[in-house]
Amino acid sequence: MKFLSKVVVSSMSVIAMYLLASLLVDNWQQRKKISSFPTTKSQYGTFSSTKIYPIELAERNKISQDDIYLTIKTCEKNHKTRLPLIFKTWWTGIKQQAYFFTDTDDEALTNQTDGHLIVTGCGKTHAPFELCCKMGYEYDYYYDSKKKWWCHMDDDNYVNPSLLVKALNQYNWKEPFYVGRPSREGIQYRQYKGQKVPLYFATGGAGICISRNMSELMVPWMRNGSFVQTCKDLSMPDDVTFGFIATNRLGIKLTRRNDFNSHMQNLAKVPTEELLSQVFLSYGGANVVNLTDPTFPLTEDHSRLLSYHCKKYPETEWCPKESKLR
Ligand code: UDP
Ligand code: MN
């Protein structure tokens, strides 16, 4: 009996020691994880981090357009200059999922968007933290919408809704995905709280999407003013800070999409057939898409996106009849 109880006591202490040891190792690994933010280029993934996505899982987790919460960053000075083009073109195909974030109330816009206009109350300057304030609002609204994906775009972007859905369906929204296009290949370095940190980010002007799971990981960095604080600590605007949080603080690689385009890319170089398969396009000054046989002259279509829209959707009522035959 005495022997038996001795065996029980000693095996219990072995188990207890094992539990304690694994707890310590776990804790150590946790700590190691937190203190080892990626610092080298290879850890940043200049290439897509697309994981192998088993077909049946992809089928089960397939999303539709309604699973996306699309936010468009705009401001008062663009309400009458940039938004009319949006309302005339791609917006009609995704208006239920599209929300405009701006700095000034506009009744006409509220009516036009059926209430999808959010006036943030952030300042109107172009200061980094003001832009972050706006993106923080976009994130909060997305987060509360409980949708599976959040996509952010500028008001000089054009999006192809069905291609966006198709692109996002290559990734599992239940895993952390940060999807977009960097505007430059190299990594810049910046001081953050007295530490030199690398910055690698998807540029806001090319469209940025994150999965629900990614947004969950970002909560401590985004909610309750955390995002604006990080922008201030980094002295960087919204997209840069957002990328810093995703790739550096959380260590999630950027899933790079070459069919997300900002006006930092040379848009004129993309052949017309290839243009039709781009998810996001943009325009800026003389940098516009180059179409063979454009529907409208440049004087009537400075962004070239009206002509582009007619190539894409020739049945649109304001597109000339002959473009319907093409
Ligand atoms: N923007 C803003 N507040 C401003 C100026 C610009 O929210 O005071 C938005 C604008 O609506 C657009 C984005 O920031 O969605 C980028 O602005 P823009 O295209 O004028 O500049 P870029 O950074 O592309 O050169
Ligand atoms: Mn722009």
Side-chain angles (χ1 to χ4, degrees):
M1 197 61 198
K2 229 178 182 180
F3 171 73
L4 204 69
S5 66
K6 243 186 185 169
V7 169
V8 169
V9 167
S10 65
S11 53
M12 269 169 71
S13 53
V14 166
I15 291 170
M17 262 159 74
Y18 171 76
L19 284 176
L20 190 72
S22 58
L23 214 85
L24 285 172
V25 168
D26 242 24
N27 192 280
W28 176 72
Q29 278 175 339
Q30 250 346 75
R31 272 167 188 279
K32 201 167 137 224
K33 213 166 160 186
I34 294 168
S35 64
S36 65
F37 293 124
T39 46
T40 63
K41 188 169 175 166
S42 65
Q43 283 170 290
Y44 268 83
T46 31
F47 299 104
S48 158
S49 71
T50 313
K51 292 181 189 155
I52 296 165
Y53 197 7
I55 287 170
E56 85 281 2
L57 191 64
E59 255 332 290
R60 206 169 341 128
N61 291 336
K62 229 178 160 125
I63 62 137
S64 63
Q65 192 174 295
D66 196 42
D67 293 317
I68 300 172
Y69 192 88
L70 179 68
T71 63
I72 302 105
K73 175 166 86 169
T74 191
C75 53
E76 186 180 22
K77 70 181 163 70
N78 296 349
H79 286 185
K80 291 211 161 57
T81 52
R82 292 188 184 180
L83 300 192
L85 173 67
I86 290 180
F87 293 133
K88 207 171 168 182
T89 58
W90 60 263
W91 176 78
T92 51
I94 194 168
K95 56 179 160 190
Q96 305 288 353
Q97 291 78 37
Y99 294 81
F100 293 83
F101 285 74
T102 194
D103 49 26
T104 310
D105 204 3
D106 185 328
E107 211 184 313
L109 264 185
T110 301
N111 294 336
Q112 169 123 38
T113 59
D114 202 14
H116 288 201
L117 181 77
I118 291 104
V119 184
T120 63
C122 302
K124 292 186 191 181
T125 71
H126 215 168
F129 65 91
E130 298 291 17
L131 295 176
C132 293
C133 172
K134 199 177 277 177
M135 196 181 201
Y137 267 91
E138 292 179 35
Y139 172 90
D140 282 350
Y141 273 74
Y142 157 71
Y143 192 81
D144 293 340
S145 79
K146 304 205 162 48
K147 300 257 176 172
K148 293 170 182 154
W149 286 92
W150 169 33
C151 294
H152 156 100
M153 63 192 281
D154 280 358
D155 57 11
D156 51 1
N157 276 149
Y158 180 106
V159 63
N160 279 310
S162 61
L163 297 178
L164 179 64
V165 174
K166 212 170 140 195
L168 297 182
N169 264 323
Q170 293 177 13
Y171 320 114
N172 189 351
W173 62 273
K174 293 178 180 171
E175 284 179 18
F177 275 101
Y178 168 47
V179 184
R181 177 135 181 208
S183 58
R184 58 180 97 190
E185 296 308 323
I187 291 177
Q188 324 165 44
Y189 288 84
R190 193 89 191 172
Q191 285 296 122
Y192 173 73
K193 295 188 170 176
Q195 199 193 350
K196 190 180 169 191
V197 293
L199 302 178
Y200 189 64
F201 64 96
T203 193
I208 301 170
C209 299
I210 64 163
S211 60
R212 167 62 42 182
N213 184 270
M214 182 78 210
S215 76
E216 297 287 354
L217 295 182
M218 293 185 89
V219 165
W221 290 93
M222 296 302 292
R223 299 214 98 170
N224 304 317
S226 300
F227 187 51
V228 171
Q229 189 52 51
T230 307
C231 287
K232 284 183 178 166
D233 291 340
L234 206 58
S235 299
M236 280 285 160
D238 48 357
D239 51 355
V240 185
T241 307
F242 194 79
F244 166 72
I245 293 167
T247 63
N248 188 276
R249 297 292 102 171
L250 300 171
I252 305 298
K253 281 185 179 179
L254 171 68
T255 296
R256 187 197 167 112
R257 298 276 320 186
N258 287 340
D259 50 7
F260 284 28
N261 301 279
S262 74
H263 54 70
M264 279 164 154
Q265 265 86 46
N266 186 351
L267 297 163
K269 262 196 168 164
V270 190
T272 302
E273 317 78 67
E274 228 170 276
L275 283 175
L276 297 178
S277 62
Q278 302 303 298
V279 177
F280 285 103
L281 285 170
S282 184
Y283 61 92
N287 187 15
V288 294
V289 292
N290 188 13
L291 297 164
T292 47
D293 203 9
T295 314
F296 304 102
L298 205 51
T299 46
E300 289 168 32
D301 182 18
H302 70 277
S303 69
R304 275 281 188 244
L305 291 175
L306 290 176
S307 298
Y308 175 80
H309 195 75
C310 288
K311 284 233 188 282
K312 192 85 199 159
Y313 307 98
E315 67 288 352
T316 308
E317 86 278 358
W318 51 261
C319 293
K321 284 231 162 39
E322 65 266 33
S323 71
K324 290 177 188 165
L325 300 173
R326 264 180 224 141

